[in-house]
């Protein structure tokens, strides 16, 4: 608190002394910030927070202790090489499945444009940047000079504005905008340090809480995400975590880094990781064969969307719980579930959906499939050949929301993640109390478990509650 008061006092003093020294800048905010930026650098210690690793059973647990639903994995499990799932057999003899879309947009040839950028299958026409500023060496003074040059360069504002328009057109969230800028920076600058400074200034000018840092030779982007992210370095500045967000092919810093304590005078906000609506990405479709009881359906998954999710930072579970499932995937699921659920009571519907996820989604822990803990969005769980507890719960919550309208909550135990569902009428079984309401355990990993049946260890532990996008 004392340090913050000192920083505020020093900043106010700079504000009071500013006259017209930098009257050529677009706004007084630039002048104020620039003067403070020249003098407030210091060294910051780096920290890292690893993602929570749960001790999960290698084989899917099953009521009665029998072996659960596992199978041998394909040789490779990634987006590029998981091709054997991409050409399913027709559902009925003679029936032809829709062909995968192979259309790709062609680079723009408009006057004043520098060519195209492929953003998860979408072609972005980038405006040509004229006399873009860059840095030759790394020092506080060079960074300050870049700030001056960017602010005075009208081409930068045009470039940033057109990129922002594309981001808005395809419904990108804050992180999507950041990642788009990072990829665009490669088209404008051959060297890394100028790319980082370009993204820093553009995000800052658009009202995001980002900073810059450097070691002896490299500039790094620091981002306030407003949420914890894992497996990345961070520094604490003014009681706020700023994560070192490395660019593609950029190594992490090996030593403590220098950054500034100055606060940009204009109101800035964290770069949100929340996905309220999925980005409008189109392109190749992946078909997954799903069998439940005696019915078969081919789920349709948009591959560019999976690639977007695969690039997403490792973050806290509520982000995954509250991101929607795609309409495309859910509409293909409708073909399987709607006929089966018609005329059923809410408990019967939940029991059917629960059984589907337990028995039709092969189980494997993340370490076996990905080599590390890796939370999945709902569409990813439908895409990848295997899933474990938190992935299945996230998918189950989306299916419950779509096909029953019942409220649910995530239940985060020390070694397991499950789901609680609030029914409109009282039922029997294990439950957790949340805001005075009973949420009954529905565990999509515990194969054969009915509604209200929890594994023994769960009965003696109070889980952390994860609220979902549904009203609860």
């Amino acid at each position: 608190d004392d340090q913050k008061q000192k920083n505020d006092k020093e900043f106010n003093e700079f504000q009071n002394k500013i006259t017209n020294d930098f009257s050529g800048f677009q706004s007084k905010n630039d002048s104020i910030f620039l003067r403070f930026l020249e003098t407030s650098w210091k060294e910051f210690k780096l920290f890292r927070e690893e993602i929570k690793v749960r001790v999960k059973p290698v084989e899917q647990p099953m009521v009665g202790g029998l072996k659960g639903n596992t199978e041998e994995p394909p040789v490779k499990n990634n987006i590029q090489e998981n091709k054997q799932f991409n050409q399913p057999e027709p559902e009925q003899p003679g029936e032809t499945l829709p062909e995968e879309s192979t259309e790709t947009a062609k680079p723009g040839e408009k006057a004043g444009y520098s060519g195209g950028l492929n953003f998860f299958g979408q072609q972005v026409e980038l405006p040509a940047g004229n006399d873009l500023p860059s840095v030759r060496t790394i020092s506080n003074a060079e960074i300050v000079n870049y700030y001056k040059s960017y602010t005075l360069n009208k081409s930068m504002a045009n470039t940033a504005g057109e990129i922002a328009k594309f981001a808005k057109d395809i419904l990108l969230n804050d992180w999507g905008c950041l990642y788009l800028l990072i990829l665009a920076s490669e088209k404008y600058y051959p060297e890394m340090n100028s790319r980082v400074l370009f993204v820093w200034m553009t995000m800052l000018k658009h009202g995001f809480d980002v900073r810059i840092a450097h070691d002896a030779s490299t500039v790094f982007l620091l981002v306030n995400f407003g949420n914890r992210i894992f497996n990345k370095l961070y520094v604490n500045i003014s009681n706020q975590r700023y994560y070192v967000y490395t660019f593609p092919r950029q190594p992490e810093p090996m030593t403590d880094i220098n950054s500034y304590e100055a606060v940009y005078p204009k109101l800035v906000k964290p770069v949100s990781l929340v996905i309220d609506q999925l980005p409008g990405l189109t392109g190749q479709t992946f078909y997954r064969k799903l069998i439940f009881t005696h019915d078969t359906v081919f789920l349709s998954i948009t591959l560019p969307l999976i690639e977007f999710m695969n690039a997403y930072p490792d973050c806290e579970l509520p982000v995954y719980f509250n991101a929607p499932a795609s309409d495309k995937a859910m509409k293909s699921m409708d073909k399987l579930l709607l006929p089966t659920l018609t005329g059923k009571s809410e408990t019967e519907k939940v029991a059917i959906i629960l059984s589907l996820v337990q028995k039709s989604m092969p189980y494997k822990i993340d370490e076996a499939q990905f080599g590390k803990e890796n939370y999945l969005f709902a569409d990813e769980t439908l895409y990848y050949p295997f899933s474990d507890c938190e992935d299945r719960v996230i998918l189950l919550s989306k299916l419950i929301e779509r096909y029953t309208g019942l409220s649910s909550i995530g239940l985060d135990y020390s070694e397991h993640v499950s789901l609680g569902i609030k029914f409109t009428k009282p039922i029997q079984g294990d439950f957790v109390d949340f805001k005075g309401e009973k949420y009954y355990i529905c565990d999509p990993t515990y194969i054969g478990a009915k509604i209200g049946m929890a594994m023994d260890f769960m009965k003696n532990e109070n889980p952390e509650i994860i609220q979902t996008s549904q009203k609860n």
Side-chain angles (χ1 to χ4, degrees), residues 321-322 350 393-402 404-411 418-423 432 434 438-440 442 465-472:
F321 269 92
N322 288 289
V350 171
V393 168
I394 291 164
L395 174 61
L396 178 62
S397 73
K398 301 304 166 189
L399 298 178
I400 293 298
E401 179 180 8
R402 182 175 184 88
T404 73
L406 297 175
S407 297
S408 65
I409 54 174
L411 307 175
S418 189
L419 194 71
I421 298 177
K422 183 175 71 173
F423 293 87
V432 296
F434 179 61
K438 292 181 179 180
Y439 285 78
Y440 290 87
C442 292
I465 303 299
I466 301 172
Q467 296 191 60
T468 69
S469 56
Q470 303 168 72
K471 294 181 180 179
N472 48 39

Side-chain angles (χ1 to χ4, degrees), residues 166-321:
F166 173 83
K168 183 178 180 181
D169 288 345
I170 65 167
L171 308 176
L172 292 182
N173 69 343
D174 291 354
W175 176 83
C177 294
L178 169 63
Y179 199 74
L180 173 61
L181 276 173
I182 289 173
L183 297 183
S185 70
E186 295 188 30
K187 300 294 183 179
Y188 292 117
Y189 292 104
E191 51 90 21
M192 184 66 69
N193 290 331
S194 293
R195 295 177 195 170
V196 177
L197 290 171
F198 167 77
V199 174
W200 165 58
M201 284 295 299
T202 305
M203 291 293 287
L204 190 65
K205 288 291 184 179
H206 280 78
F208 291 105
D209 189 7
V210 294
R211 294 172 178 262
I212 210 73
H214 68 86
D215 58 17
S217 61
T218 306
V219 178
F220 299 97
L221 184 69
L222 301 182
V223 182
N224 171 13
F225 283 108
N227 295 95
R228 289 185 305 164
I229 65 172
F230 306 108
N231 307 320
K232 284 192 179 294
L233 296 170
Y234 68 90
V235 297
N236 286 312
I237 303 178
S238 300
N239 297 319
Q240 178 61 58
R241 286 187 182 186
Y242 288 86
Y243 290 89
V244 180
Y245 201 83
T246 52
F247 287 32
R249 299 174 299 283
Q250 183 185 31
E252 289 187 326
M254 301 298 292
T255 62
D256 293 340
I257 52 179
N258 292 299
S259 189
Y260 56 85
E261 294 183 299
V263 178
Y264 192 61
K266 196 175 180 180
L267 183 66
V268 291
K269 63 178 181 176
V271 176
S272 176
L273 292 169
V274 172
I275 302 178
D276 291 321
Q277 53 185 341
L278 295 178
L281 300 174
T282 59
Q284 189 178 25
T285 299
F286 168 92
Y287 300 99
R288 178 178 182 176
K289 186 175 183 179
L290 186 68
I291 301 173
F292 179 55
T293 60
H294 301 294
D295 297 317
T296 301
V297 69
F298 289 97
L299 300 178
S300 301
I301 312 295
T302 302
L303 275 180
L305 181 60
I306 299 300
E307 292 165 352
F308 175 88
M309 293 172 171
N310 186 55
Y312 219 74
D314 295 327
C315 49
E316 297 176 283
L317 277 173
V319 173
Y320 300 86
F321 269 92

Side-chain angles (χ1 to χ4, degrees), residues 382-397:
L382 294 176
Y383 168 78
Y384 287 107
F386 306 112
S387 54
D388 61 12
C389 63
E390 67 274 351
D391 312 321
R392 305 159 80 86
V393 168
I394 291 164
L395 174 61
L396 178 62
S397 73

